[in-house]
């Protein structure tokens, strides 16, 4: 049995031509004067020419002047550099100009003089057309976004102007109603029986409710469209300020507030004040009939996300209505039990959502309620609980 090594395989012209003929790239060789020395099958296929007819010709014999000029300039640049040069070139195809990424490199003789230039070109037309389509769609989308943004900004200005105009126009007759009813109660009380005085007091109460509803609608508008800031702030201090404001409505009432130190948050302090005014205000309102009312606020991290909670031991609510709580004008208690406009929690929900957070309500009838929320965006698979 022979243990000798096999003799080396000699690779000749036929083997090299077989190699370049079985590639999808366009391969060719020209002399330093630009005359074709050889082309592969892909070149023949693309330009519907036979290699025997191409050898000896130049690009100016085969292509239009500007295209041939570019090919020749790139050849000369590769020869001058003496190293491979990568360029993008265009050549005619069946459906218009095609784009190729081409690597050109010179061949040198034993004296280091260039005697030929080789080119390997890969068709990237589909990619270039896809990129151009993406750019076109992006430009169209950017234009449409600018147009839509301008329309929304104009609509927002109109809505703001309308809201404040309506607010002003509604407040004037409300003030008249409140003022005249008060005059009747003070100056003509002796001429009015108890039933008539009751009617006037009901008018005043409804005027107050309407004024509060106007304020709440304006707050809802501001919570939706005002510019959002993100600052670090002391939530504990803000909660204590709001608790003091809420308590001032009935200083004689005793409620235990549990607000720990060092609760810090990131968000818009002015909008978060509105959140606390509504949540703490609701807790104050719904603990009015509780023995030993307690209202607390706290924070606990949940999977790396800070979750804040406002809890009370008041009237609570039926969980089957929890999904409706954050819709405007939805009330789970009658106006006779607890006053309100049904807009406060809609304001809270919109502010939390604008911050990228979520809010969850839990409760039971007669056992209080808890509202948990986060103020920073959380992972898509994160669930508030």
């Amino acid at each position: 049995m022979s243990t000798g090594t096999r003799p080396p395989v000699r690779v000749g012209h036929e083997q090299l031509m077989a190699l370049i003929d079985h590639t999808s790239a366009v391969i060719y060789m020209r002399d330093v004067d630009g005359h074709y020395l050889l082309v592969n099958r892909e070149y023949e296929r693309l330009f519907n020419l036979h290699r025997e007819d191409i050898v000896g010709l130049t690009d100016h014999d085969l292509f239009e002047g500007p295209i041939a000029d570019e090919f020749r300039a790139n050849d000369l640049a590769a020869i001058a550099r003496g190293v491979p040069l990568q360029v993008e070139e265009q050549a005619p195809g069946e459906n218009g100009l095609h784009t190729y990424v081409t690597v050109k490199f010179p061949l040198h003789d034993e004296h280091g003089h260039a005697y030929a230039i080789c080119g390997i070109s890969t068709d990237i037309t589909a990619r270039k057309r896809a990129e151009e389509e993406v750019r076109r769609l992006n430009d169209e989308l950017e234009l449409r976004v600018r147009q839509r943004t301008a329309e929304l900004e104009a609509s927002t200005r109109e809505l703001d102007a309308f809201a404040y105009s309506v607010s002003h126009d509604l407040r004037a007759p409300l003030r008249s109603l409140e003022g005249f009813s008060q005059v009747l109660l003070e100056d003509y009380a002796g001429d009015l029986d108890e039933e008539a005085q009751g009617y006037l007091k009901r008018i005043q109460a409804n005027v107050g409710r309407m004024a509060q509803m106007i304020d709440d609608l304006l707050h809802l508008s501001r919570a939706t469209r005002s510019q959002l800031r993100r600052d670090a702030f002391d939530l504990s201090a803000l909660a204590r300020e709001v608790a003091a404001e809420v308590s001032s409505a009935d200083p004689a009432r005793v409620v235990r507030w549990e607000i720990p130190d060092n609760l810090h948050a990131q968000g818009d302090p002015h909008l978060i004040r509105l959140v606390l005014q509504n949540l703490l205000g609701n807790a104050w309102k719904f603990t009015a009939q509780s023995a030993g009312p307690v209202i607390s606020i706290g924070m606990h991290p949940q999977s790396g996300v800070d979750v804040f909670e406002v809890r009370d031991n008041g009237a609570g609510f039926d969980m089957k209505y929890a999904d409706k709580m954050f819709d405007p004008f939805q009330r789970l208690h009658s106006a006779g039990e607890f006053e309100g406009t049904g807009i406060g929690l809609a304001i809270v929900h919109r502010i939390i959502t604008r911050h990228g957070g979520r809010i969850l309500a839990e409760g039971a009838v007669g056992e209080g309620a808890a509202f948990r929320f986060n103020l920073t965006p959380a992972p898509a698979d994160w669930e508030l609980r």
Side-chain angles (χ1 to χ4, degrees):
M1 182 174 63
S2 173
T3 59
T5 59
R6 292 183 180 179
V9 177
R10 298 181 63 85
V11 178
H13 178 77
E14 291 184 1
Q15 287 82 5
L16 290 175
M17 287 305 299
L19 176 65
I20 67 173
D21 278 342
H22 287 82
T23 179
S24 60
V26 178
I27 299 176
Y28 48 87
M29 182 188 299
R30 295 189 277 262
D31 65 23
V32 292
D33 294 322
H35 298 94
Y36 277 92
L37 300 175
L38 67 85
V39 297
N40 71 342
R41 295 292 183 197
E42 185 66 11
Y43 192 110
E44 291 182 301
R45 186 188 69 79
L46 285 177
F47 300 113
N48 195 27
L49 295 167
H50 295 290
R51 64 184 65 181
E52 295 83 4
D53 300 327
I54 297 173
V55 172
L57 301 180
T58 69
D59 285 324
H60 285 87
D61 298 317
L62 301 173
F63 303 105
E64 293 181 359
I67 293 175
D69 289 343
E70 182 183 16
F71 289 169
R72 182 60 178 159
N74 291 335
D75 285 358
L76 294 174
I79 292 171
R81 290 182 56 177
V83 294
L85 172 70
Q86 180 172 304
V87 292
E88 281 191 11
E89 296 178 325
Q90 288 189 316
E94 293 181 356
N95 55 347
L97 286 177
H98 279 227
T99 302
Y100 295 83
V101 60
T102 298
V103 176
K104 295 188 173 186
F105 55 93
L107 298 179
H108 298 93
D109 59 22
E110 65 272 15
H111 302 294
H113 299 133
Y115 65 87
I117 184 80
C118 293
I120 303 174
S121 301
T122 303
D123 193 338
I124 59 169
T125 304
R127 191 191 80 192
K128 296 291 285 188
R129 289 176 179 172
E131 290 173 353
E132 182 59 33
E133 180 66 10
V134 169
R135 279 194 294 271
R136 186 186 66 80
L137 291 174
N138 283 339
D139 290 343
E140 287 184 4
L141 179 60
E142 185 177 346
L143 176 61
R144 290 167 64 184
V145 167
R146 286 200 301 268
Q147 292 173 339
R148 184 59 176 158
T149 299
E151 292 171 1
L152 288 173
E153 288 175 348
S155 177
T156 296
R157 289 193 296 271
E158 291 173 2
L159 284 171
D160 285 339
F162 175 76
Y164 285 104
S165 175
V166 169
S167 170
H168 179 272
D169 292 345
L170 285 176
R171 289 183 195 279
L174 286 177
R175 283 194 295 268
S176 295
L177 281 172
E178 198 279 333
F180 285 127
S181 60
Q182 187 62 34
V183 168
L184 288 172
L185 284 173
E186 291 177 354
D187 297 346
Y188 297 93
D191 300 326
L192 299 172
D193 59 20
E194 186 175 342
E195 185 177 9
Q197 292 185 43
Y199 288 149
L200 289 173
K201 290 177 181 177
R202 288 172 65 182
I203 289 174
Q204 288 186 320
N206 281 288
V207 165
R209 289 188 67 247
M210 179 61 76
Q212 184 61 53
M213 186 173 292
I214 291 171
D215 288 339
D216 288 346
L217 286 172
L218 288 175
H219 286 151
L220 183 60
S221 172
R222 183 157 67 91
T224 303
R225 296 195 296 274
S226 64
Q227 185 174 0
L228 182 70
R229 295 166 43 202
R230 279 200 179 274
D231 299 322
F233 64 95
D234 187 339
L235 189 70
S236 297
L238 186 59
R240 290 192 181 101
E241 289 177 15
V242 173
E245 294 170 5
V246 171
S247 300
S248 66
D250 187 358
R253 187 176 159 204
V254 178
V255 172
R256 188 168 88 243
W257 293 94
E258 296 180 350
I259 303 174
D261 295 328
N262 299 317
L263 294 181
H264 299 285
Q266 284 278 139
D268 190 314
H270 298 294
L271 292 179
I272 301 305
R273 174 181 281 274
L274 271 177
V275 169
L276 293 177
Q277 284 174 341
N278 281 285
L279 292 181
L280 296 181
N282 279 353
W284 172 272
K285 176 171 60 178
F286 290 116
T287 55
Q289 300 172 11
S290 302
V294 179
I295 301 171
S296 64
I297 182 169
M299 187 274 286
H300 62 274
Q302 181 182 314
S303 300
V305 178
D306 289 343
V307 175
F308 300 93
E309 180 183 76
V310 174
R311 178 179 292 274
D312 67 71
N313 61 345
F317 61 90
D318 191 331
M319 280 296 290
K320 70 181 179 181
Y321 301 114
D323 59 334
K324 298 181 179 180
M325 293 187 68
F326 301 106
D327 295 335
F329 304 110
Q330 293 291 332
R331 290 177 51 84
L332 303 188
H333 302 275
S334 69
E337 287 183 285
F338 300 100
E339 295 181 351
T341 61
I343 302 175
L345 289 180
I347 294 172
V348 169
H349 183 266
R350 292 199 183 182
I351 292 174
I352 299 301
T353 302
R354 284 196 64 197
H355 278 75
R358 307 172 199 174
I359 184 166
L360 172 72
E362 287 186 352
V365 176
E367 297 181 15
F371 292 84
R372 289 189 286 279
F373 59 91
N374 62 297
L375 294 174
T376 53
D381 59 350
W382 183 80
E383 184 178 353
L384 177 63
R385 58 183 188 275

